[in-house]
């Protein structure tokens, strides 16, 4: 079977593995205070073009989301999120387990919310006679790219940043797949922009070349103090913290993070183009490494003889949307095989 | 000003006050273990026709909701609720503060959810490949009457009970305004039915004649143990617990709870009838003590010179829905005055 | 039976009851925003001699403690408390339920902790190499009087205030029995001192004349914003909020709160003097309304034929400490009876 | 510098690294449901001699502790633990963050608590008149070996198991350093014993050869359901779950876990013997890989020119206890160097 179901089906980029082997018997202190972590932090600061940011390494995305949100909010405050946002749907209530409501907003098909929606939610809250009986919106959570592959433009991010500033809200960007967003041809946002436009974001490693790991970047000085206590309390402080340093150090050496992301996006777009030619519509437009083509159910039956995909949603009685992902590890020959099989299956299906 | 904005604008029924005075200097032990509380519990058991139920007195509704839900659910489980449900909107995140997600379902205009919706939510969860990444629905929260004045019929409750039984869900009924529901002419549900069809519910006192207080009735033996610890932990264990016992003892003597509720419903229906005659439409149908007529904004300007109402929702550019409540304390002469003023204002407005 | 076991065995001071009767059918808005609550807040501000304090009314002590602490601390922070502190022992884990550790310090027999202990705990934390792996002390919780009847002198409070200022800690004073402390002849602290020396404290009503209710006074501007959301979230926002306003308005009219407290302290001291003369030692010294005499077990057997007391602790194989409380409601004739019976029983026991 | 400060200063056992390299580009499904995890689980079941146990892989110890405890306890229940227990001291309040109090019991110098203490705590609770106002003890947390290197004998574990059974408590064993305990010559406990005598325990990987990872073994059928939801909610579900499977599969192949542990214990005992000969006393007796010798402060000044150790505690004005750890990675030549330097430094210090 060939896996296109998600972007975490393999281990890590060979250069990371090599570095793990090279450093394996080196002795360091624990918990991310070693020199390798320091070096990785410095490289991320350089890539961001900002010396004043705090960089912390956590193991996974759910952990990063809950830790960041719980470190910022007071108990009566909640996080605005797209209905389809990862924190609202796929984290088994991790944010609620820290005591906070996720305030869901309707999302576009590609998983985005707008500055106007945020402002409306904020305004509705402060103007409600019962405002003290309601959860106070205090943080905006978005993902870039979104769970449905969508991208925020620089203009959209700037609008979100501006409304957050006006309304006293924090902007937090989940970058679990950040590489695949920043290297999309449709993207006009840089790492530096993320620093300047958000209060905190993270650079996903798990889905972009690492075994695991997310680099949380805190730009707002208000939320920097004591963050390491929160990492520890939420179970995210790795004893052998250098493992995270090693991985991000490699990823941020010689532009590796972006190189491998870019290739995956090219592959995903090739698959999307073939799907389109073959007559598929799309559940959501995605300029990134996740694609959401709609297939006749009969075609899916054939596809799954050889490929693993993620079932996404029923579209009508005879059609379903699936998710096909590429990643830093996707082999060109597998992309070719998939494209050719999609063509054949769809041609067949059209008969 | 005459208040019709809610059902907690006065103190308590004079008979309760009288009893508070009579017992004031009597000495009892604390925390609800005194003989007056025992007597009140016995009367509630009798009214329910069930000897095997546990009855606990809590101070308020938000407290009762959070305490009950947190006592039942494990951390990964959530409560299904109407989007308009009190726990989802008007408790400042009290349920989330205990760690649990409220899983909101679209509601009817009068605030109800159906057995079919519950079953669909449950089924979607267990059939989702990512089910372990999602909050597990484990409890159904409904209010009777709802926040929008709606009533569940016995058939609807039975259907909810049945789906909960089939799916292993708990059914919890918020009865903050229970008296006004059970005494509505449209109602076909009894206290005994609530015992037989739910796992836990409460009989609201705060809005139905008491100074404060909600009587939580636990029928499911599984959730009975240790409930008093939860009351204490959530801040609901009154030192002078007898105050709750006194109030419920009076309310459940000589059918007082139901007598006073019934009168308020009659008054509310009279107001509704006058609104209708005067040309108002309604935001939601309500056979209980809350009414949601829609008025021209200009008419509301006049109405508020003399009356306090709750602004409910904007309906269109020139019309708004308001809430008008009666209660055990509403005076007939105030109802008459309101009716006559509504007629006059609407007649004026039609010119 | 005559109850000396605690200070919440009766209802409320007759003047409060009278006022509840007088205002019963008056209509007000809810949730503590009515004019009676405003008046009560003004009187408390006047009694404190500070115009700049926020006053909030909550229903009970456990609720007040958890609400205040959770509103102040970030998730990684804990509350330093005497081992015997109410939050550490007798609140069913209410503080932990909001996510915070209670950091217990050894207490004096009369239930106090010192500035030196607080400083040592703070210093140990910041100097520990693993500080980020430990709960950060951020708030000091004391009760005045303590659970064991002890009083902090103005010098002791000032020392605690100073160490808190130096170390960036908040000082929170639980005043569930505040009246009985402030009116003790041994006391040299005023309401104004509490304002000036703490960040937040509360004036207990439940045990000092009210049916229920604690008036939380916030003096530190940092912790004032949004406190009402926290009250609501923790289940402490009474719908008929005026009930709290009424009670505190009466208590803070014509010095009633202090008059009734003072009388109870005199009675308690009379009982203590008799115990001492009769040969009892004391579990802890208390200059307030709670007394902790040690009796032979045989004497207690006789005492309990007529009186209800609280069993406090076993002292040796044949002796136990008990708690005897007076309150605003304690009748002089009952004090006389108790004193005379203690004399007789102890005389008998000495034979 | 040579590190003896802890047992997580290197990466992982070379065989694990080799296996990571071999499997790196293999495609698997995520979240621990792959075939490698299944194989590892099977090997652990075999090593335990029990087919009926559930095995789950989590990333780290703090995470495992909080996840297990929160999955078992209801909100009003707490965990009995040695005062020195990891959950009580070194997890930044992770257990409290899930809402539960850690009920600390005085520990022996080597970090243990006894069945008698547990029974006394349980009995005191149920016999306290205010029991519902106190946190209910429901789980006993011990670590094996303890944080201070101590071991529970089979007799001690059996006594704990028996008291837990009698009192309805759960027994949870933190095995972060389990290998170093089970392979100590003083140990008489087996993996099978742990299964039979506890409700849940874990086999530590992070400190015993793995890059990271703890294998949680659930033996009590009551606490098995839905555990994966809890892992996800607490941020412990690794996307590339196979990484945990790979590591435990290697560790439980050809007895590797025990072989490497045993060697480290031998090394630690050699260091301890040299310390003793050289005149050191010990802060706590430890038959495992952690040793706690007491040195003159002057000697420590010299020692730290070449070695990194953990400062443990001040013993008197001129002496301090330190922790010296060995691990699967400790080189014999480093042990030799340390032993020889300790001898020299102590000889010098005696002059």
């Amino acid at each position: 079977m060939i896996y296109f179901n998600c972007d975490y089906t393999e281990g890590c980029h060979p250069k990371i593995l090599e570095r793990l082997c090279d450093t394996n018997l080196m002795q360091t202190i624990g918990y991310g205070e070693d020199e390798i972590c320091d070096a990785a932090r410095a490289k991320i600061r350089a890539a961001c073009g900002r010396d004043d940011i705090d960089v912390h390494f956590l193991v996974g995305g759910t952990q990063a989301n809950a830790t960041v949100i719980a470190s910022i909010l007071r108990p009566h405050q909640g996080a605005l999120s797209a209905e389809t946002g990862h924190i609202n749907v796929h984290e088994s209530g991790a944010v609620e387990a820290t005591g906070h409501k996720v305030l869901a907003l309707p999302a576009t098909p590609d998983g985005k919310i707008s500055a106007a929606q945020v402002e409306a939610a904020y305004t509705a809250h402060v103007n409600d006679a019962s405002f003290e009986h309601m959860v106070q919106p205090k943080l905006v959570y978005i993902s870039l790219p979104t769970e449905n592959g969508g991208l925020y433009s620089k203009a959209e991010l700037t609008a979100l940043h501006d409304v957050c500033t006006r309304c006293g809200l924090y902007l937090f960007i989940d970058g679990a797949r950040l590489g695949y967003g920043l290297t999309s041809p449709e993207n006009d946002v840089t790492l530096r922009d993320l620093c300047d436009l958000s209060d905190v974001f993270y650079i996903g490693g798990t889905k972009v070349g690492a075994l695991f790991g997310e680099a949380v970047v805190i730009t707002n000085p208000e939320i920097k103090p004591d963050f390491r206590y929160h990492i520890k309390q939420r179970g995210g402080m790795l004893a052998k913290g250098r493992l995270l340093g090693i991985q991000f150090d490699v990823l941020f050496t010689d532009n590796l993070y972006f190189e491998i992301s870019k290739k995956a996006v090219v592959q995903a777009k090739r698959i999307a183009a073939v799907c389109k030619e073959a007559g598929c519509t799309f559940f959501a437009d995605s300029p990134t490494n996740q694609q959401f083509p709609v297939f006749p159910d009969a075609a899916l039956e054939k596809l799954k003889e050889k490929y693993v995909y993620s079932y996404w949603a029923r579209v009508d009685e005879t059609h379903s949307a699936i998710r096909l992902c590429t990643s830093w590890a996707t082999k060109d020959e597998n992309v070719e095989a998939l494209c050719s099989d999609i063509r054949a299956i769809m041609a067949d299906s059209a008969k």
Side-chain angles (χ1 to χ4, degrees), chain A:
Chain A
M1 296 297 284
I2 304 174
Y3 287 69
F4 281 98
N5 59 316
C6 70
D7 30 24
Y8 38 91
T9 49
E10 287 87 359
C12 64
H13 192 276
K15 286 191 182 167
I16 287 178
L17 207 49
E18 198 180 312
R19 187 76 181 283
L20 285 171
C21 293
D22 289 349
T23 58
N24 191 49
L25 292 180
M26 180 182 164
Q27 292 192 309
T28 63
I29 54 170
Y31 304 116
E33 296 189 304
D34 60 279
E35 58 273 28
I36 309 178
C37 284
D38 284 344
R41 281 189 277 264
K43 287 185 181 164
I44 288 175
R45 282 195 198 94
C48 288
R50 288 264 304 253
D51 280 344
D52 62 333
I53 55 177
D54 278 7
V55 181
H56 298 277
F57 301 119
L58 278 82
V59 174
T62 295
Q63 195 180 82
N65 287 335
T67 303
V68 166
I69 291 172
S71 79
I72 293 177
L73 296 182
R74 296 179 66 204
H76 63 301
Q77 298 173 334
L80 291 163
S81 160
E83 243 171 15
T84 50
H86 206 257
I87 59 168
N88 193 45
V89 184
H90 280 124
E91 303 190 352
S92 301
V95 169
E96 288 85 0
T98 71
H100 301 287
K101 193 179 188 75
V102 177
L103 300 159
L105 299 174
T108 57
D110 63 345
K112 299 195 295 181
I113 54 174
S114 69
Q117 282 178 289
V118 168
E119 185 143 33
Y122 173 81
T123 306
H125 179 78
V126 297
N127 289 338
D128 196 302
S130 299
F131 69 102
E132 293 168 334
H133 297 233
M134 303 171 86
V135 173
Q136 186 183 68
K138 192 66 184 176
L139 179 146
V140 175
Y141 164 92
I142 60 171
S143 36
L144 181 69
T146 70
E147 297 72 14
N148 290 352
L151 284 180
Y152 287 88
S153 68
K154 185 165 174 183
E156 289 170 329
L157 273 188
T158 303
L160 280 164
H161 168 266
D162 290 352
V163 71
C164 286
T165 304
R166 272 201 309 284
C167 303
L169 308 173
Y170 297 93
L171 182 57
F172 169 35
I173 304 174
D174 169 341
R177 294 187 169 92
L178 192 61
Y180 304 124
L182 298 190
T183 58
S184 163
E186 279 85 343
N187 173 60
D188 67 348
V189 172
T190 65
L191 268 182
R192 174 62 189 253
D193 293 334
L194 296 178
C195 291
D196 296 347
L197 296 174
S198 77
D199 296 282
V200 50
F201 70 97
Y202 62 93
I203 303 171
T206 303
K207 290 164 180 158
V208 193
L211 290 170
F212 57 87
E214 318 293 312
V216 173
V217 176
I218 307 183
T219 63
N220 183 337
E222 261 181 67
I223 57 183
K224 289 177 184 173
D226 295 348
F227 192 72
R228 282 174 54 81
Y229 286 89
H230 296 273
I231 301 176
K232 179 65 187 171
Q233 185 182 72
R234 303 294 172 195
M237 191 171 279
L238 205 61
K240 298 177 180 174
R242 92 239 197 117
L243 300 176
L244 291 158
I246 289 166
Q247 297 184 84
F248 277 96
D249 188 77
V250 173
L251 289 171
F252 280 82
T253 299
D254 297 337
N255 217 29
L256 183 63
Y257 187 75
F258 298 100
E259 294 299 331
I260 61 179
S261 296
K262 191 189 229 168
K263 189 183 165 207
V265 174
V266 170
Q267 290 172 323
K269 284 181 161 269
R270 169 144 174 69
I271 295 168
V274 167
C275 289
K276 199 171 170 189
E277 284 164 34
C280 292
T281 58
F282 288 82
F283 180 76
D285 286 334
S286 164
T288 62
N289 76 313
Q290 304 183 88
Q291 295 298 327
F292 303 88
V294 175
F295 282 94
D297 295 324
L300 290 179
E301 284 304 300
K302 284 200 195 142
L303 200 62
K304 81 174 169 198
E305 289 168 11
K306 193 162 152 196
Y307 302 95
V308 181
Y309 54 78
S310 287
Y311 187 89
W312 208 247
R314 175 143 299 285
V315 170
D316 63 32
E317 276 187 28
T318 55
H319 290 77
S320 296
I322 64 169
R323 181 177 73 167
L324 296 170
C325 292
T326 57
S327 80
W328 60 274
T330 304
K331 294 179 189 164
D332 286 334
E333 70 235 44
N334 286 344
V335 172
E336 283 316 306
L338 176 66
C339 287
S340 137
D341 286 329
I342 286 173
R343 275 197 210 96
I345 290 168
M346 287 296 284
D348 232 43
S349 147
K351 280 176 195 168

